Amino acid sequence: MPTHSSLPSTLRILFLASEAAPLIKVGGLGDVAGSLPSALRMIPGNLIEGRSLDVRLVIPYHGEVARKLLDPQPVASFLVNHPNGPIPTRAFVTQVGDVPVYMIEGAPIGTEAPVYTGDNYIDGLKYAYFSLAAVELARHLNWQPDILHANDWHTALSVFTLAKQRLSRDPFFAQTRSVLSIHNLPFMGAGAERALDEFGIHPVRDSRLPEWARQFPLPLGLLAADRIVAVSPTYAQEILTPEFGCGLQDFLISRSSIISGILNGLDQESWDPTRDNALVQRFGIETLDQREENKKALLQEFDLPYDPKIPLLILISRMDQQKGIDLALESLAQAANHSWQAILLGTGDPIIESACRSLQAQFPDRVRAAIRFDTRLSRRMYAGGDILLMPSRYEPCGLAQMIGMRYGCVPLARSTGGLRDTIFDGAKDRPNNGFLFEEVKAEALTQAMLRSFDRYKDREAWHQLQVNGMTQDFSWEKSAVQYANLYFDLWENQR
């Protein structure tokens, strides 16, 4: 970390996201944006040489957010430029814990539209506007950010806009630097080109970007960013390869000197089996034997017989090709001659949902498919399952494996992205806490599954696997310090 006296005692961070818990959460980004800003503000001074971070979060004023807040404080009214005429914009502020949260209101955001419509033209209009407005908001607050930190394609245009402001020698943003986090590279904002055209954002001519990507929001942000962060160290390397680079690998290799990987953290207060009121029986490391009551209750809930010698596999996931659900279903069928039970929870692709129901029909005495979104059930499953299946084809970070380990549920996952960074299977320098397989094949998963079944028979060895997982530190503090060091390094080295 820089130690130069030129570093300010407090660095101002403008953090942009499309969603942030607890105000609005659709996916994993909501968890990150709801946790990381607070973790950054709460870093003990001794970990960053007595300095501090003034982090302020900006999100769209979604209808769901408006319905939750009773009395948000208006802080700014201004116009956002548009070729057809400026768009009236208002901003409000509320406090979530110790984090000021600004919410931007304007016609493109709408009051009833969902966070994501699935139509990237409509979402492109919303988030192009939001990105422009968020940058302009800082000026109208007279709060000059040292770092603008954007997330995914929805806010990537703020980074592109900031770069244009600096090129135009705008004195307000002359010292502001940018960070762009990649949470899921395949989602680049394809289909938003017409929306960008309507805001006067036309294709760039930079030959480093493939021609097809020159008007996609995420690539534009990646082109302009001062630093790029992937949400795990392994994913930061994977996106430089043809398998995971989504056609941008050569461009990303050209920017590899500014790419790093920082693992997402877990809200350990929210995910705490010693205090989780969704559980039949709370437990911790010292009371791990009491965990079995949750397994008994879960099996009873799904009308499955309890036998302590039979491992219960759980799958909690979006039903999506990325998640490798098809591999899990095929592998369970391949292991039919072995004793196991399985409960599957999630929604998504109707074909995958149907395949889950078909597996239940094939094995009615040991499979249950709960095709729904049910957060309280997921908690009971983490606390009652023995083995958590995560056979993802790719997984930028993943949180389920962290939650599973915290709840004593041993993960079995493909060795990719954040799964490889958090699950250790035969590592020389880390205690084992789960099972990994390499190839994207059901047979490879089946072999790992059979290894887990063998280990499960050794109750002492299994208990140690659980303890190894439960004692891992997945808190945001460690990741927040890495982000803080990145911010200070960027601020210093760009001067």
Side-chain angles (χ1 to χ4, degrees):
M1 164 166 181
T3 58
H4 299 80
S5 59
S6 61
L7 279 171
S9 60
T10 299
L11 211 60
R12 297 181 296 271
I13 314 296
L14 190 66
F15 194 98
L16 276 56
S18 54
E19 55 177 286
L23 294 176
I24 185 79
K25 172 179 160 18
V26 177
L29 174 59
D31 292 313
V32 174
S35 299
L36 178 55
S38 178
L40 289 165
R41 292 180 71 98
M42 294 175 64
I43 297 173
N46 65 303
L47 296 182
I48 48 175
E49 300 188 0
R51 305 184 190 277
S52 63
L53 297 170
D54 179 3
V55 186
R56 305 190 182 189
L57 172 63
V58 188
I59 63 172
Y61 201 11
H62 300 291
E64 183 176 331
V65 177
R67 288 187 286 275
K68 283 183 179 178
L69 297 177
L70 295 177
D71 191 24
Q73 178 185 350
V75 291
S77 295
F78 53 96
L79 299 175
V80 171
N81 289 333
H82 189 279
N84 293 337
I87 301 172
T89 302
R90 292 198 300 168
F92 300 82
V93 69
T94 191
Q95 195 83 7
V96 177
D98 58 350
V99 179
V101 181
Y102 296 92
M103 299 154 294
I104 289 176
E105 176 187 81
I109 291 174
T111 57
E112 298 303 324
V115 177
Y116 313 114
T117 66
D119 182 331
N120 279 359
Y121 166 66
I122 295 173
D123 289 348
L125 291 173
K126 176 194 294 187
Y127 289 109
Y129 163 73
F130 171 72
S131 296
L132 297 173
V135 173
E136 197 62 25
L137 172 64
R139 191 195 312 274
H140 286 271
L141 294 174
N142 196 30
W143 188 79
Q144 289 179 290
D146 297 303
I147 305 289
L148 183 150
H149 186 158
N151 293 271
D152 272 353
W153 80 262
H154 309 91
T155 57
L157 287 175
S158 66
V159 174
F160 184 71
T161 299
L162 174 66
K164 289 172 65 176
Q165 299 276 24
R166 288 189 351 217
L167 281 173
S168 69
R169 302 192 181 279
D170 182 334
F172 189 84
F173 292 109
Q175 302 300 315
T176 305
R177 295 299 179 259
S178 61
V179 175
L180 178 57
S181 286
I182 303 173
H183 297 262
N184 204 337
L185 182 61
F187 296 89
M188 301 182 194
E193 301 92 309
R194 184 158 56 96
L196 270 59
D197 268 332
E198 292 181 24
F199 274 91
I201 301 171
H202 304 301
V204 296
R205 297 178 180 178
D206 195 305
S207 61
R208 288 176 296 172
L209 277 177
E211 188 171 353
W212 56 263
R214 293 177 188 174
Q215 202 181 12
F216 287 5
L218 183 60
L220 291 178
L222 296 172
L223 179 67
D226 295 306
R227 290 288 189 277
I228 297 168
V229 181
V231 291
S232 71
T234 293
Y235 195 53
Q237 296 302 311
E238 287 178 340
I239 61 176
L240 306 180
T241 68
E243 183 179 359
F244 298 100
C246 304
L248 291 182
Q249 61 272 8
D250 291 340
F251 161 71
L252 290 169
I253 288 170
S254 77
R255 306 225 71 199
S256 60
S257 63
I258 67 161
I259 297 174
S260 58
I262 299 177
L263 193 71
N264 283 340
L266 180 68
D267 183 343
Q268 299 201 139
E269 289 189 11
S270 172
W271 296 101
D272 182 354
T274 68
R275 299 189 298 174
D276 194 333
N277 62 17
L279 309 188
V280 170
Q281 177 63 57
R282 300 175 194 175
F283 63 93
I285 294 174
E286 300 302 322
T287 55
L288 192 51
D289 58 317
Q290 297 178 19
R291 183 181 187 276
E292 198 71 5
E293 296 304 312
N294 293 293
K295 179 177 179 178
K296 292 176 183 177
L298 183 63
L299 290 168
Q300 183 178 19
E301 180 179 347
F302 282 93
D303 193 27
L304 289 171
Y306 169 73
D307 183 337
K309 296 180 182 179
I310 298 177
L312 173 60
L313 298 96
I314 63 168
L315 188 150
I316 302 168
S317 178
R318 185 175 74 252
M319 298 295 180
D320 185 277
Q321 182 75 2
Q322 172 206 336
K323 299 296 184 179
I325 312 298
D326 56 317
L327 301 178
L329 302 182
E330 186 178 347
S331 183
L332 286 167
Q334 288 178 2
N337 292 333
H338 296 263
S339 294
W340 53 263
Q341 297 167 309
I343 300 175
L344 319 173
L345 172 65
T347 63
D349 185 331
I351 294 174
I352 299 176
E353 291 179 356
S354 177
C356 291
R357 293 189 181 98
S358 295
L359 190 74
Q360 176 177 313
Q362 185 179 354
F363 300 103
D365 57 335
R366 48 176 163 168
V367 175
R368 295 292 181 269
I371 307 302
R372 62 182 187 267
F373 180 80
D374 190 330
T375 56
R376 288 184 69 83
L377 172 57
S378 72
R379 289 175 177 270
R380 298 195 297 276
M381 289 173 64
Y382 285 123
D386 296 305
I387 300 167
L388 172 68
L389 292 175
M390 293 189 71
S392 302
R393 285 177 164 82
Y394 73 95
E395 194 66 61
C397 178
L399 288 178
Q401 81 278 16
M402 300 183 198
I403 299 169
M405 281 187 266
R406 188 148 168 81
Y407 279 63
C409 188
V410 177
L412 193 170
R414 178 157 184 261
S415 182
T416 184
L419 301 176
R420 180 180 296 174
D421 293 326
T422 52
I423 301 170
F424 306 108
D425 181 8
K428 295 180 180 179
D429 56 342
R430 303 293 292 267
N432 289 357
N433 58 14
F435 301 89
L436 293 171
F437 67 98
E438 293 284 344
E439 291 183 284
V440 186
K441 293 182 179 179
E443 292 76 13
L445 172 54
T446 302
Q447 289 304 310
M449 191 181 293
L450 296 183
R451 284 197 294 120
S452 73
F453 293 169
D454 285 341
R455 188 77 59 85
Y456 184 78
K457 295 173 184 176
D458 184 338
R459 302 312 299 156
E460 185 176 336
W462 193 261
H463 180 271
Q464 190 59 55
L465 271 181
Q466 291 176 296
V467 170
N468 291 347
M470 294 178 76
T471 52
Q472 275 202 251
D473 180 10
F474 292 123
S475 68
W476 268 109
E477 182 178 288
K478 184 164 56 175
S479 299
V481 170
Q482 293 179 55
Y483 274 109
N485 289 340
L486 182 146
Y487 294 152
F488 280 115
D489 180 70
L490 173 58
W491 197 92
E492 173 70 9
N493 290 331
Q494 294 289 333
R495 302 270 104 22

